[in-house]
Amino acid sequence: MMHTAVGWHVELEFMEDDQHTRAVAMVRLPDGTEVRAHGHASRHRVDAQQPRVGEEVAGARALNELAMRLLTKAHDEIDAASGRTSHPIHV
């Protein structure tokens, strides 16, 4: 049996101002499909400026949404191939 190595590269981009961090996560799948997701973090006005923390929170939220979108895509593909409704895929 031959094994094939497959790799995905996830890209994260951040847009920041003094109180908000927005993240966009994107993965391009081998079939050419791009899946995108967004995350957001807000700094409370009394908190210290810590851009890296905002990136971590917004990035984690974007990656979490990306994971859910990939699970939904896989679930839809299973249903399309089988012609029936399958059980939900859980994290």
Side-chain angles (χ1 to χ4, degrees), residues 1-53:
M1 180 172 174
M2 184 175 167
H3 295 279
T4 303
V6 177
W8 294 359
H9 295 277
V10 176
E11 296 177 24
L12 278 172
E13 292 183 0
F14 300 96
M15 290 74 61
E16 300 173 273
D17 61 30
D18 288 345
Q19 288 195 276
H20 303 280
T21 303
R22 287 179 171 75
V24 178
M26 192 273 291
V27 63
R28 187 171 295 110
L29 302 176
D31 67 0
T33 303
E34 288 184 0
V35 181
R36 294 177 186 269
H38 300 84
H40 180 261
S42 297
R43 181 180 67 85
H44 192 277
R45 65 182 177 280
V46 300
D47 291 340
Q49 289 252 6
Q50 294 180 289
R52 187 173 57 212
V53 172

Side-chain angles (χ1 to χ4, degrees), residues 66-87:
L66 185 66
M68 297 310 295
R69 289 181 185 267
L70 287 167
L71 283 171
T72 298
K73 182 180 183 307
H75 190 347
D76 292 346
E77 290 174 1
I78 290 168
D79 289 355
S82 68
R84 60 181 174 78
T85 302
S86 57
H87 293 287

